[in-house]
Amino acid sequence: MQERTFGRLGWDVGEIGYGMWGLAGWTGNDDEETDVALERSVDLGCNFFDTAWGYGEGRSEQILGRLLKKHREKRLYAATKIPPKNFQWPSRRGATLDDCFPPDHIREYTEKSLKNLDVATIDLQQFHVWEDDWADDDRWIRTLDDLKREGLIRGVGVSVNRWEPNNVLKTLRTGVVDAVQVIYNIFDQAPEDELFPLCRELNVAVIARVPFDEGTLTGTLTRESKWPEGDWRNTYFVPENLAKSVDRAEALRPLIPDGMTMPELALRFILENPVVSTIIPGMRKVRNVEANLASSDGRRLPADLTASLRTHRWDRTPTKWSQ
């Protein structure tokens, strides 16, 4: 596992981290399988784990807490997120800080996450949605300063709404935010336009999430793909989105080098960007952990292949199903 510096916080983190939404927010989980996969990730050098209170109402945090307790001798970084008070993902234009992150709510859910993780300090506390208009309301800043001074959190992060990478630029310029979590993959290249240059300028860490476009870039979806009742993917992969996503994934197949899978290609494309601090694919099985972490071996993609992948950029705007 290769490591990168996590922005101005200076942490040495593995290039491939662990996204933990699927461990508590999707159907088909197996607790025993989850524990084995997490243990294997630590064995292979994974040291950055991203969770949220919203993943199973704290259940994913509790899973991570058990892992941290088992490996007290290792430096594992725990990142979590505060849910918006109105529990609307993503936030909507016109929503106020009081609707989503009033000071007492920030503190309340930081304390809940501390309990779930069973730690004294959260390494990275993130906002699970964001509106750049809130940058001028310094109540969130003062609350985070208090939490830092009390030793309850180390760093501050913002998880940017889907397909809105520029909805945080003013906030970054406050100098308060240490890390940005954003969707970035072969399709979603828009963060390169304005967000990444500003992160480079301010030395803000970048967490690349949804590297496989919720499964599209695994190459396993078809126009007939369905999920069990209650699975979040049923509401995201509506017929319109599923058909377009499958078609775009199929268009990538001729570019996959011999001996490489589509997921590996997807991860290696992201790793070509030095602004990215770590990638957090969701992983529920040992075979996925081993395959994904193996992508962090220092090898580069050929320049002509990277250039070809750039032509598959897919600019999208939020819709009622994009969440």
Side-chain angles (χ1 to χ4, degrees):
M1 170 77 81
Q2 304 292 304
E3 292 186 339
R4 298 188 181 192
T5 302
F6 197 77
R8 62 192 184 210
L9 290 173
W11 305 335
D12 293 324
V13 300
E15 289 184 331
I16 309 296
Y18 208 119
M20 298 185 66
W21 181 17
L23 305 188
W26 297 25
T27 59
N29 292 315
D30 180 294
D31 288 346
E32 184 176 345
E33 185 176 56
T34 292
D35 289 341
V36 173
L38 285 166
E39 287 293 332
R40 184 61 174 147
S41 77
V42 174
D43 291 343
L44 294 174
C46 184
N47 67 352
F48 186 88
F49 297 83
D50 178 82
T51 184
W53 183 91
Y55 302 163
E57 297 185 351
R59 184 166 177 269
S60 179
E61 291 179 326
Q62 292 166 4
I63 292 171
L64 178 54
R66 293 196 298 270
L67 184 75
L68 297 175
K69 186 173 291 187
K70 289 180 187 175
H71 297 281
R72 293 187 187 279
E73 79 287 357
K74 295 186 177 181
R75 186 60 176 101
L76 304 182
Y77 294 95
T80 191
K81 308 179 196 73
I82 306 165
K85 185 176 182 179
N86 60 9
F87 295 99
Q88 288 187 354
W89 281 271
S91 52
R92 307 293 197 267
R93 298 301 91 85
T96 67
L97 192 71
D98 287 311
D99 292 328
C100 297
F101 298 115
D104 59 342
H105 180 79
I106 295 172
R107 179 172 288 277
E108 176 187 355
Y109 276 83
T110 295
E111 291 174 352
K112 286 184 177 182
S113 293
L114 285 164
K115 183 177 180 180
N116 287 332
L117 291 166
D118 195 17
V119 296
T121 307
I122 295 169
D123 292 312
L124 185 68
Q125 179 62 294
Q126 305 163 95
F127 294 103
H128 209 158
V129 302
W130 195 253
E131 293 294 325
D132 218 12
D133 289 343
W134 301 337
D136 297 328
D137 188 331
D138 67 356
R139 290 178 298 158
W140 65 274
I141 297 174
R142 286 187 276 112
T143 303
L144 292 171
D145 284 344
D146 289 344
L147 293 174
K148 278 188 173 181
R149 187 170 57 254
E150 295 167 28
L152 301 182
I153 66 173
R154 292 190 173 89
V156 174
V158 170
S159 183
V160 185
N161 302 343
R162 184 182 297 273
W163 303 333
E164 297 180 5
N166 295 336
N167 192 8
V168 72
L169 301 180
K170 184 165 64 173
T171 303
L172 293 187
R173 293 190 178 98
T174 66
V176 176
V177 178
D178 302 301
V180 170
Q181 183 172 146
V182 64
I183 292 178
Y184 179 58
N185 54 53
I186 292 172
F187 295 153
D188 294 299
Q189 300 177 35
E192 296 178 1
D193 298 344
E194 296 186 61
L195 177 60
F196 284 3
L198 185 59
C199 288
R200 184 187 296 110
E201 175 188 335
L202 301 176
N203 199 18
V204 168
V206 170
I207 304 166
R209 77 175 192 267
V210 195
F212 305 134
D213 192 48
E214 309 296 7
T216 306
L217 288 167
T218 63
T220 59
L221 300 189
T222 71
R223 286 170 174 257
E224 290 72 43
S225 291
K226 297 183 184 303
W227 294 269
E229 183 177 354
D231 192 294
W232 170 85
R233 288 167 289 185
N234 285 315
T235 62
Y236 177 73
F237 284 113
V238 296
E240 172 197 359
N241 187 35
L242 181 60
K244 291 179 179 178
S245 297
V246 169
D247 289 348
R248 286 184 174 267
E250 290 303 311
L252 281 172
R253 289 197 187 279
L255 296 177
I256 303 174
D258 291 342
M260 189 179 292
T261 64
M262 189 180 293
E264 180 183 346
L265 180 65
L267 292 173
R268 290 187 181 280
F269 171 81
I270 299 170
L271 290 173
E272 286 296 307
N273 197 314
V275 178
V276 172
S277 305
T278 190
I279 310 172
I280 51 170
M283 300 180 284
R284 294 193 284 181
K285 299 181 184 297
V286 170
R287 66 172 182 270
N288 300 133
V289 168
E290 293 176 343
N292 291 340
L293 270 60
S295 299
S296 174
D297 57 9
R299 290 190 295 134
R300 304 290 302 274
L301 290 178
D304 59 342
L305 175 55
T306 301
S308 295
L309 292 173
R310 292 197 172 283
T311 68
H312 288 260
R313 174 170 171 160
W314 183 9
D315 288 326
R316 293 173 273 188
T317 56
T319 70
K320 62 183 179 181
W321 50 260
S322 60
Q323 304 175 47

